[in-house]
Amino acid sequence: MTTDLGLLTTAADKWESMAGEIKKVEERYRDTVQKITMGPNWTGISAGVAHTNFAGTRYEYAAAQVQAKAVASLLRDAHGQFTDLKKRLESVRADAVKEGLLVDSQGNVRQDESKLTGQDRMYLRDHPEAVAARKKAIEAWAQRIKDLVQAFADADQGVKVALEAVGVDSNKDAFGKGNDDQLNGFNAGAQGDIEVYEARNAEDIATRINNGGNVSAADYAELDRSFRDNAGNKAFSQTFLSGIGPAGTIALTDKLNDRALHSDKKNSDRYQNIQKGLANTLAGATEVPGKVSEAPPGSKKFKEWLASSDGKFYREFTDGLDKAGVTATGSKANPLYGYQSFVTLMQHADTKYDDQFLYDLGDELIAAEKKQPGIFTKWGAGHDGIETDAIDGLLDVMSRNPDAATAFFDAKGNGPGGDKVTNDHLHYLAGSGNGTRDWPVNTVLGYHNTDLDDPTSRAGLGAALEAATTGHTPLGPKQDPWPVTPHTDAQARVMHDVIGELGPSQKVHENLREPLARALATYSEDTHQILGGMGSSQYITSATGDGFFRDGDKTHMAVTQKDLAQFMRGLSDDPEAYATLHKAESRYISLEMEKIPHGATGFAQSNPLSNAGAVLGAYSAIREDVLNDDRMAAYSSADWKSKMAYHVIGGAVTPMYFTTAGGMSIAFGDSLQRGVDTWAWTMGNNLKAEADVTANAGIADVYLTATNQMGLMVDSWADGRPDIDKDARAGLKDEILDGHDRGTNTTQKYLTDTTN
């Protein structure tokens, strides 16, 4: 913090000046000494030897200039990195001080007691939870400072690596060839980029790891530091990956995985950190620039990029990956293909991959599987730590980049680069019948091989489809989908196509049910209108057309009532999936009820509730069909109801604001959801211990009966509406019952019809 970093640029100026002085000497040497060997007056063996020696000396003068300029560039590079990091440290320290903290010269953080008022002290004394929160905040500030200090140390080590390497004679022309006659002369191949030297050093370590050479703990630590320090730096990442190539990248992954799980388990964290760094390095190297990604692959702009060093790396690396990916190692009985290791590496990244790279790789994986069926089968125990089904593993990675997932599954839209594409990715991966994927199984080897279902099958597909249809990464625990989430045309089109692929069979794979239920729940505004049958006619006309329509700046998804009901039925074999949909619909009904103007009469008052009754009637029909279905082997009727009820009440109480996984915050007041809150609270308070499944199932029957649910919601909503008296409430409940009968009858008809 006290070092004068300006001395680095002062030194850089002197190195550049030195290069200029050496150039003068070189020119004098050329014109006076070397010139003697050029004329006709000196001939013979001695003249030949002199000519060689003098040319070698001249070469070293030129190499010295290259090296001096490179050192100057490295020092300026170091100055830029150090100055930026120092400013960031100063900024964080200043922000911490503004928060009433003290930061000493060692980076330790503590409360500035002089900033506490008497009232503050009393509050902290009486509220231990506030003390704990303050301590946690102080620790967070300390960690931020520690991380920046570590980043400074990492950068400093990188400068050291570069300065040590720049003075080593690279023998660019090779000893004995050209004019270079010195094994330890000046470095004519000197580079002025710190990251290039770090990449070459990392390449050397990686190559020794792959070849089984001597690699120390310090070498592994340096490899980890190099990846950590250069995250997102293309000069480093592309130089490193060009050096070891796709095959070397795959081999390094396998070596690190083996050491983490088998040969050096006590240092497993070290190897996992390196794998994460390598994965992030790969993500940075394969990123296509934004302006290029907006241009179709056949355009002039895209072709110009392919001809650049960045594009040349991308093309050569992906071409090499196509070959290394289908190359197998290990025994014939349990082969390990390069694609399996490569996708496993990608899963270690904590950054997202570029949509163009994901799209291209997904295409190549599918092509490889079609060319070699069974390539992603798991034989016996498989390989520890390796993703056997590379396609499903890639889809999991793709779910972290929702735009990439949308482009990959949008059969009628724009692929990466804005290029109009037609692909069958969705049909191949999620559909049934001709042209669809035969999903890999686990094959247990024996006298007679036995094929077992893979319990993780389609987990990546489910995550990718949730991302593709919602625009955000898959929701996690305690995150509920918001029923009025905005969508793009492409997202709505993919959701429409998903329903069309999976709806008619009324069967959805178990690992797809919950992610697709979360996805569909974000379209509750549309499914409410479709199931209720009272929405815009555009839902009907667009259902068999584009699959979406626009109303102003809002995009709506459109499907037929039949396809939607059958799709929801397929999801509802899972009680939590059904509950996710039911909860989102209940929230949407509350939002619709709040829109009814005070003093509204007639259609304006009754239509929203009639529509709500019809939708809940559809849910009743679906629920009844599930419970009466012989296919429901995983749950007893009571168990299904109990699990479903617990999931419905979980998180149903209104927070002050809702934050999606994509970071979108939606604020609303307590009153806005009081209808659904009252219903959920009442049901939750009556549910017994989860072990009493039968009793809880009975409670679920009571509170999920549409008449009871809507009765509670209407009463709770009307309590804040002086314009709605007792008779009006009764009339509105009758509207709900009429709608419920309509929705139930319509949906029951669809659920008994499984034809296309």
Side-chain angles (χ1 to χ4, degrees), residues 21 92 168 230 239 305 327 330 353 377 385 390 405 412 417 515 537 591:
E21 292 301 315
V92 170
V168 177
N230 293 287
T239 300
W305 173 75
T327 301
Y353 281 82
T377 295
K412 303 173 186 175
S537 62
L591 293 172

Side-chain angles (χ1 to χ4, degrees), residues 53-72:
N53 289 343
F54 292 177
T57 301
R58 169 89 182 277
Y59 175 91
E60 293 301 332
Y61 277 128
Q65 295 171 56
V66 173
Q67 183 175 320
K69 290 178 181 178
V71 172

Side-chain angles (χ1 to χ4, degrees), residues 495-497 499-500 530 539 542-543 547 557-561 563-564:
M495 188 76 254
H496 165 273
D497 291 350
I499 295 170
I530 295 168
Y539 281 107
S542 301
M557 186 271 298
V559 292
T560 66
Q561 275 188 331
D563 282 352
L564 178 59

